[in-house]
Amino acid sequence: MKILFPFYPLHSGTFPSDKVQDGVVASCNMQIEALLAHGHEVTLIVTRDFEVNDSRVGVITGDFDSKELAGKTPWTPLTKKILEVESEFDVIILNMAELPMTNGDIRTRFEKILPRVRVIYHHYDERAFSSFFVTQYQFMAWVKQNGGKVFTVSMLFNAESWYRFKKKDVITSNPYHNYHLPTTLEEFDHLDMTVALEPKEPLTEDGGYVMIGRASPEKNILLGIQAYCKTPLQEPLYVFTCPSSAKKEVKYFNSIMATQDDPRVHVQVSATREQILYRLSRARCVLYPSKKESFGLVAMEAMSYGCDLIYSDSHAFFAKEEGKLVRHPTLKSFSEAIVYRRREEEFSFSWQSKKDRSEAFRDEHSLEQFQERYCFSLLND
């Protein structure tokens, strides 16, 4: 099949990328690789300041750059570009649910192609039910009621929270389409995107703790570092982070960098994926105090490398029987969890158990299984 794949988020960057990835960007990369592995032709729509370095994919460059997409109707240029080229493709895969349909002509033209549209929706924690997200749910319902397919996705998810979330009613008053769309997210299909990455490095003994995430309060990196510094543990803590683009979060980033006064803390900015995976192959534990997750990439990679997890109750993932859950982590509760888990693990942890956990996770969630599941779900009626 010929697949049109507008890359999300449409910002400056490269494909493929070896940098620390946003969860949705990582999801797009996984999806593209799945489509290519199954012999489909993939064409990306990208901004002028996005670079594609992969000859396996076609490229359509929009007449807009990432800054131009930051306006009040940021996706209008993308909507128009899709309508310009859609006749050449069998399926259109959207990793966003916010294309504006306020223009009558655009709405009418887009409605005709909806049977070929597949929407992949990543945002599903319970706080998403705010007015900011209402039109996204309405867009998804519109797609489905006109013959398209909509998938909510996860890597590792908390089944209890997910069930409660799906049962919630979506606000039905619809200013975009001028009719009512009563629906709950339970009406949409769910696509499990849990993937076990094959370790690129042998799992060898070294030790230490790891924390990964951008320098944003919602990732709670600073709390994780401060909690670790309150423990008596002497092993190093490796922190991989990157500055947020938001000016208001510069102070937060500077606070993270200042924690290196403690000799146990090692902060690395803008690390490559190879550097992160190298450290995961050697770490005994990953700290994950995130307040909000849309995809759970860090937890997935940690489990794929057999690491123990100490994690929060953000609703994107649930680490099954592994690790230690800390609900609504505070400095005190997260610090206590680190110490408690270490005492627990001292009786059972070994580098062989790390390898065993890694192999078991890969057996249950192989890349090949995901790719087959993804292509079958999206491309078969």
Side-chain angles (χ1 to χ4, degrees):
M1 286 190 177
K2 298 183 69 175
I3 312 294
L4 181 63
F5 195 105
F7 200 91
Y8 180 93
L10 288 171
H11 58 32
S12 58
T14 61
F15 173 81
S17 173
D18 66 348
K19 301 297 183 184
V20 177
Q21 295 177 351
D22 171 85
V24 183
V25 174
S27 171
C28 287
N29 288 332
M30 288 166 50
Q31 294 173 53
I32 293 167
E33 291 293 343
L35 294 166
L36 294 172
H38 280 248
H40 300 290
E41 296 181 35
V42 181
T43 298
L44 309 182
I45 296 182
V46 300
T47 58
R48 286 192 298 251
D49 47 352
F50 193 97
E51 185 178 349
V52 177
N53 299 311
D54 193 326
S55 60
R56 298 174 300 165
V57 300
V59 180
I60 296 174
T61 302
D63 54 352
F64 43 81
D65 59 32
S66 55
K67 292 182 179 179
E68 292 176 72
L69 291 179
K72 293 182 179 179
T73 55
W75 302 108
T76 299
L78 173 60
T79 308
K80 292 180 178 178
K81 180 58 68 175
I82 291 172
L83 290 173
E84 283 179 22
V85 301
E86 53 81 16
S87 62
E88 304 172 26
F89 299 93
D90 301 307
V91 173
I92 302 155
I93 298 177
L94 302 177
N95 277 268
M96 69 286 289
E98 47 203 52
L99 294 178
M101 295 294 145
T102 52
N103 180 289
D105 177 59
I106 290 178
R107 182 174 64 245
T108 301
R109 291 169 59 196
F110 208 90
E111 190 166 89
K112 293 178 180 178
I113 71 172
L114 290 182
R116 289 183 283 138
V117 169
R118 308 291 182 263
V119 175
I120 307 294
Y121 188 67
H122 297 83
H123 301 280
Y124 46 80
D125 77 32
E126 292 182 27
R127 288 160 291 185
F129 279 89
S130 64
S131 59
F132 181 76
F133 291 97
V134 167
T135 53
Q136 296 186 354
Y137 302 136
Q138 294 164 347
F139 176 82
M140 292 190 294
W142 182 58
V143 171
K144 181 168 181 177
Q145 291 192 3
N146 284 279
K149 289 186 177 182
V150 177
F151 299 88
T152 52
V153 303
S154 71
M155 282 187 168
L156 301 160
F157 61 93
N158 183 322
E160 181 183 349
S161 294
W162 175 246
Y163 179 78
R164 292 200 309 271
F165 176 74
K166 291 205 302 183
K167 288 291 187 182
K168 284 177 178 271
D169 288 329
V170 176
I171 297 174
T172 58
S173 176
N174 195 329
Y176 278 85
H177 313 304
N178 301 318
Y179 58 90
H180 295 292
L181 296 172
T183 186
T184 69
L185 285 189
E186 194 171 34
E187 295 182 20
F188 304 132
D189 295 316
H190 182 72
L191 180 62
D192 180 8
M193 294 185 70
T194 308
V195 179
L197 301 181
E198 189 71 28
K200 296 183 178 180
E201 296 283 342
L203 304 185
T204 56
E205 184 169 354
D206 190 357
Y209 288 68
V210 170
M211 191 157 44
I212 304 167
R214 71 179 184 273
S216 168
E218 69 180 25
K219 298 302 179 185
N220 234 2
I221 294 292
L222 184 58
L223 179 140
I225 297 173
Q226 292 171 337
Y228 188 80
C229 290
K230 284 176 65 69
T231 73
L233 302 180
Q234 294 304 307
E235 292 178 84
L237 170 64
Y238 299 98
V239 181
F240 296 98
T241 190
C242 56
S244 169
S245 58
K247 291 182 179 179
K248 64 182 180 181
E249 293 177 359
V250 171
K251 184 178 179 180
Y252 189 84
F253 174 72
N254 291 337
S255 297
I256 290 174
M257 299 304 292
T259 61
Q260 293 181 97
D261 291 343
D262 188 309
R264 295 171 294 176
V265 178
H266 307 271
V267 180
Q268 186 163 347
V269 180
S270 301
T272 65
R273 285 184 55 74
E274 281 69 23
Q275 290 170 318
I276 292 174
L277 297 181
Y278 172 87
R279 186 48 59 191
L280 284 178
S281 72
R282 286 154 171 75
R284 67 178 298 147
C285 185
V286 170
L287 308 182
Y288 203 17
S290 180
K291 295 178 182 177
K292 181 180 179 182
E293 285 295 328
S294 60
F295 205 36
L297 179 65
V298 173
M300 185 270 309
E301 290 186 334
M303 294 180 71
S304 188
Y305 275 72
C307 296
D308 188 31
L309 272 171
I310 301 175
Y311 57 98
S312 65
D313 57 346
S314 60
H315 300 295
F317 67 92
F318 178 63
K320 299 185 180 179
E321 301 299 323
E322 299 290 341
K324 173 75 174 173
L325 170 64
V326 183
R327 298 191 182 280
H328 308 296
T330 63
L331 185 61
K332 182 176 184 291
S333 66
F334 208 73
S335 179
E336 290 175 348
I338 295 171
V339 175
Y340 175 83
R341 186 63 180 173
R342 176 54 185 269
R343 289 172 183 163
E344 251 186 352
E345 280 284 289
E346 280 180 348
F347 296 101
S348 60
F349 181 85
S350 70
W351 291 100
Q352 185 57 49
S353 70
K354 177 180 170 74
K355 293 177 182 177
D356 291 343
R357 285 193 300 224
S358 177
E359 290 172 4
F361 191 74
R362 293 203 306 279
D363 288 342
E364 187 177 352
H365 303 290
S366 72
L367 178 62
E368 291 75 17
Q369 287 174 331
F370 155 70
Q371 291 180 340
E372 183 173 346
R373 183 168 62 242
Y374 174 85
C375 291
F376 180 83
S377 299
L378 266 72
L379 305 180
N380 287 276
D381 295 327

